Every structure is written in structure tokens, then in C-alpha cells.
Amino acid sequence: MSNSAESTSTRPLRVAIVGAGPAGVYAADILTKSNEVKGGDVEVSIDLFEAYPAPYGLIRYGVAPDHPRIKGIVNALHKVLDRGDIRFLGNVTYGRDLTLHDFRAFYDAVIFSTGAIKDADLDIPGIGLEGSFGGADFVSWYDGHPDVPRDWPLEATEVAVIGNGNVALDVARMLVKHADELLVTEIPDNVYRALKDSPVTDVHVFGRRGPAQVKFTPLELRELSHAKDVDIVLYPEDFEFDEASDEAIRSNNQIRTMVNTLTNWLVEEHAEAEEPSSRRLHLHFLHSPVEIHDDAANPGKVTGIKFERMQLDGTGNVKGTGEFLDYPVQAVYRAIGYHGSPLDELEYDARRGIVPNEGGRVLDAEGKPVPGIYATGWIKRGPVGLIGHTKGDALETIGCLLEDRLTLPPAQNPDPQAIIDLLQERGIQYTTWEGWIKLDAHELALGAEWSAAEPANGIERERIKVVPREDMIEISRG
């Protein structure tokens, strides 16, 4: 038996998970429920670290607040962390507050589940003009991320959103929806006020391929039609279907549902409305962005965007037609995907935005597994798939960790109190699960107070999200 096996045979296996979003929580939950742990072969002690004072990661800071299904996911994550067998340590940033050396000193294994929070690049002329934004940055703003500015320049009347995934639809919906409809969500007050004053009239969503190739889900599509005083506008010339499209519609229920919904909207074109709505959401297909431009009257500022018209090639992919179209807009949001960020002291695949790994085992520069270091979620596989897919990631990663448990490099100081002592010694104002319960109650109370103060509105605000990091810390640490 190896030295590491002897060192952990008389104590719990100490595991740190860096990132308390769904991927990190799922990994912790799967580890605690594994056959090896339930059968008594191994005992575990898990600390879940988070850079923000509150848990839930992408669920709190990466999803539009008007998604009803998110509440169910939050409830499920809450149940896992509320059991008491996983310790949450928030407001601790990897690479700044704690290094890989620190983690190795206090833990036998470290799992990175840091996700992906940056926008994927769109390399076209004019992308750096004033009024050109990343969709992920906008999402962080309207979700009250503590590390982004409180203000957002909502000055455009006509806006382009580039992308055909769920994030693109979230961005478009939040831009075009009337702010009062969002009061029933946890939207922060500064976000509500800014959206309330937005002069927007038209939001255009552009995708490169056809209606049968979109990446959003039927739920996202249906939510578009729920916005009040917003017309959905489609264009007959965009409804092109090739052989691959027809096959996808025949064989895939989800694609068939979305195409049927879109074609029904195209036929109806909201003809039943007596008066046109004050805002319009345009859905465009077969448009590939070429250039964002300014003009002589507004140098350095977005005044329009040029696209090449595309056509399907028979396989579901597209090719250019040589026809170019210009749209007058004053803001452009790119929502073509997320990209992971490098982590200190670990290898990084810049093209894919991931930490190189095999089945969750993190690899070094020579492609060999780094003992005791693992990855799960988007930092492991890239920012694709829905939240539920991270469960499969976590299952694979935890399986590798348990296979390796007898050869893990042992922690020098596995006492659970030791990491707390280090955080206190460094003056890090870490938050705890008990602190989150306080912050959660505080946000709920803010919503109740607003509702009581505005009874004439007839709106029940469930909660109001606290935005400033310092306020979150103060409330949590109480």
C-alpha cells in the first residue's frame, strides 16, 4: 500500500471543489452519494469554494431572471448544500486568495468547476466600436453580478443580437420586454430603472443558418410570445429548408415543434392585433455578420451592421450567396457562445477555452494526468449543452477521483479547521452557508417590503437581489 493510502486510511478524504455553480454542487453531491462512500469504503470531507459571496454560479449570474424553471434548479441545489455534509466557503478567489500550492497543502484532491463566463470572440471589422457589446457581459449586468458596473448604456432604439442560442434569446427578450413585467422576478433595482428608461423599439436577432438549425429550445421560443406589447416579426425569405432540414423536422420532435411554432407565427404575423405594439422583436435567419460600422456623423459609434445572405447547402450547413444586407442599428450584442478562462498553474487550451483533461483528470504540458487535480462542467468540456448535462460530467470526474483515491498525494494538513485559520490569517472575508441563508432572507424581505409599500401596483415582488459585493459580505457575515 502506498504512503498516500496509509495517510488517508484513518481519516476522511479531503476534497476541495472550486466553483459553487451547478457543476460544483453536482460533483459534491455525487461524491457523497457514491457507492464507495455509502458502502463505507471511503469517508469524505468536502469544501466547496466560490469566488462570489453567494452560491449557485451560473444560476444566479448567468440566466435571465424571468425563467421560471430556474427556481426549481435553485431549490434542488439548495437541498444539497443545506444537508450540512458539504461546507460552503464563498468570497474566496482561486489564484488570488488561495493558490494551487495552498489547496495541495490542505486537500488530497481538488476539482475545478469554474465554468465559462466570458464571451466568445467575433472577429469582424467594427467589433470594438462604442455600442458593440458581449452578450455575457450584458447578462452579468442584468443579473446583478457584483463585479460589473451598475450602469449600462441603453440608448439605442434599434438593436442587433447576433446568435441563435438560448443566450441570444435571453438577451433579446430582456432588451425588448417592458421593465414592469420583470418586477415579479428578483431583478435588481438599478437594472429595473435602466430598462424602464430604455428607448428601444426594435430588436433584431440574427442567425447564420435556417429555422431548422437553431440552437435554442422550444421553452425559450415560447417565452418570447409571452412579452406584452411586443410584436414578433418574421420574414418569408428566411424560411428555407434543404434535405437535411426536412429530415431533422421529420425525425426530431424538438426541431419539429420549433419550426411549427415559427411558421405559425409567420402565417399569423399577429394579424389579430388591432394596433401595432410599441416594440418589435425581429427574428432573422440565414444572415452571417460581415461588419459593424459607424458613419461620418457618429465616428467611433455603432450606426449599422452588414450581413451576407446565406443559403443552405443540402447538409444543414450554409454557404454565402454574395448578397449583402445593411441594417441601421445603434447597438450590437454578440451572443455566439461563452469561453472559459485560464486558471493559474494549470494548462489551458485557448482555442476551446478549457483545462486539458482526460475524463476529468487534468493534464500537464506533456499530456500526463496531474495527480489529485480534476475538472468538471464547462471548464472541462467547453460551454455547450444545458445545465443538466453537467451531471454526466460530474459522474465521470468523480469516478476517476475514486479510482485514484489510493494514489492521491496526501494533504500536509488535512484538519478542516486549518483552511479556516489560513483564510482568517490572510484577512479574507469568506462567507458560509449560514451567511447565504441570511442573505437569502434579506433579499426576500426586500421584496416583501417593496410589495407592501406599493400595494396599488398589485405586484408581488418575491425578492430583490443585492448587488454590491461589500453589502453581500456584510449581510452574510452579519
Side-chain angles (χ1 to χ4, degrees):
M1 187 178 288
S2 69
N3 291 335
S4 58
E6 293 173 353
S7 65
T8 59
S9 60
T10 58
R11 62 168 175 82
L13 186 71
R14 290 282 286 147
V15 178
I17 300 176
V18 182
V25 177
Y26 290 152
D29 188 40
I30 289 170
L31 179 54
T32 60
K33 293 177 178 177
S34 65
N35 291 332
E36 290 84 349
V37 172
K38 288 195 300 182
D41 293 340
V42 59
E43 186 180 356
V44 293
S45 170
I46 303 171
D47 286 343
L48 184 62
F49 290 86
E50 174 56 58
Y52 310 129
Y56 306 145
L58 176 70
I59 297 298
R60 184 171 170 92
Y61 294 122
V63 179
D66 59 346
H67 276 313
R69 62 190 172 92
I70 295 306
K71 192 177 297 183
I73 298 174
V74 167
N75 290 340
L77 300 180
H78 179 98
K79 287 179 181 178
V80 173
L81 295 179
D82 202 44
R83 293 195 313 244
D85 56 345
I86 300 163
R87 184 167 64 174
F88 172 75
L89 295 170
N91 200 43
V92 180
T93 299
Y94 173 76
R96 185 189 69 192
D97 299 327
L98 293 176
T99 66
L100 188 61
H101 175 78
D102 294 325
F103 278 108
R104 283 195 173 283
F106 298 103
Y107 299 92
D108 306 300
V110 185
I111 303 172
F112 288 93
S113 57
T114 49
I117 60 172
K118 292 185 177 180
D119 284 286
D121 291 332
L122 179 62
D123 187 17
I124 61 173
I127 196 68
L129 289 173
E130 182 181 342
S132 173
F133 307 105
D137 292 335
F138 183 57
V139 171
S140 292
W141 173 75
Y142 68 58
D143 273 335
H145 192 296
D147 298 334
V148 302
R150 302 287 183 270
D151 301 319
W152 191 271
L154 291 168
E155 301 159 356
T157 58
E158 299 161 298
V159 179
V161 179
I162 302 172
N164 254 179
N166 287 340
V167 175
L169 287 197
D170 279 354
V171 167
R173 195 177 65 255
M174 290 295 290
L175 284 166
V176 79
K177 203 170 189 177
H178 290 280
D180 285 352
E181 282 196 72
L182 296 167
L183 283 173
V184 295
T185 73
E186 62 182 19
I187 185 173
D189 280 336
N190 65 298
V191 176
Y192 166 72
R193 289 192 299 271
L195 290 173
K196 179 80 170 174
D197 294 337
S198 170
V200 70
T201 59
D202 293 82
V203 175
H204 299 260
V205 181
F206 295 95
R208 287 185 71 252
R209 297 199 287 171
Q213 286 81 38
V214 295
K215 296 298 183 183
F216 41 76
T217 62
L219 177 62
E220 296 281 345
L221 193 59
R222 284 195 297 270
E223 286 180 358
L224 290 183
S225 64
H226 296 160
K228 297 176 182 177
D229 191 33
V230 176
D231 285 340
I232 298 174
V233 183
L234 299 109
Y235 299 86
E237 62 270 24
D238 289 347
F239 282 75
E240 178 182 313
F241 301 96
D242 60 0
E243 294 175 8
S245 301
D246 291 337
E247 175 58 29
I249 293 168
R250 281 194 301 269
S251 61
N252 187 301
N253 288 332
Q254 177 167 303
I255 293 174
R256 183 164 57 251
T257 298
M258 287 191 293
V259 169
N260 286 342
T261 299
L262 289 167
T263 52
N264 287 339
W265 286 353
L266 178 65
V267 171
E268 294 168 4
E269 272 300 323
H270 293 266
E272 74 280 0
E274 294 181 4
E275 296 182 9
S277 299
S278 65
R279 292 179 175 179
R280 290 161 293 280
L281 178 60
H282 307 254
L283 299 179
H284 303 268
F285 305 100
L286 300 169
H287 282 65
S288 182
V290 174
E291 179 184 7
I292 302 169
H293 55 79
D294 55 4
D295 60 25
N298 297 279
K301 295 184 177 181
V302 172
T303 59
I305 183 168
K306 177 184 288 186
F307 290 90
E308 182 178 7
R309 183 78 186 169
M310 310 302 284
Q311 64 182 18
L312 293 165
D313 66 0
T315 68
N317 292 313
V318 291
K319 58 185 178 181
T321 65
E323 176 189 356
F324 295 91
L325 303 167
D326 273 292
Y327 293 85
V329 297
Q330 302 83 50
V332 174
Y333 291 76
R334 66 185 186 279
I336 57 172
Y338 286 87
H339 201 72
S341 303
L343 294 167
D344 284 3
E345 301 181 71
L346 299 181
E347 291 299 309
Y348 178 65
D349 182 336
R351 183 182 64 83
R352 298 179 60 197
I354 65 168
V355 171
N357 68 92
E358 283 185 359
R361 292 183 177 99
V362 171
L363 305 177
D364 62 18
E366 297 177 354
K368 297 178 181 178
V370 181
I373 307 298
Y374 302 87
T376 191
W378 279 4
I379 199 62
K380 169 188 173 184
R381 63 181 167 89
V384 292
L386 302 175
I387 291 170
H389 290 112
T390 57
K391 288 185 179 179
D393 277 341
L395 193 62
E396 181 183 52
T397 296
I398 294 304
C400 290
L401 188 156
L402 289 169
E403 285 179 16
D404 300 342
R405 67 184 185 277
L406 298 181
T407 57
L408 294 172
Q412 299 163 24
N413 191 345
D415 183 353
Q417 182 60 34
I419 188 67
I420 301 298
D421 292 342
L422 179 66
L423 293 174
Q424 292 174 340
E425 178 186 319
R426 292 181 178 175
I428 298 167
Q429 292 185 298
Y430 66 90
T431 60
T432 63
W433 180 246
E434 293 72 24
W436 162 246
I437 298 298
K438 293 179 185 177
L439 179 57
D440 184 42
H442 180 84
E443 292 183 346
L444 291 169
L446 289 176
E449 289 170 12
W450 188 96
S451 302
E454 304 280 348
N457 286 322
I459 296 172
E460 293 289 330
R461 295 193 73 178
E462 183 177 352
R463 72 164 65 229
I464 299 175
K465 189 180 288 184
V466 174
V467 178
R469 181 183 285 263
E470 58 272 20
D471 291 353
M472 297 172 67
I473 295 168
E474 181 179 355
I475 295 164
S476 297
R477 290 175 65 87

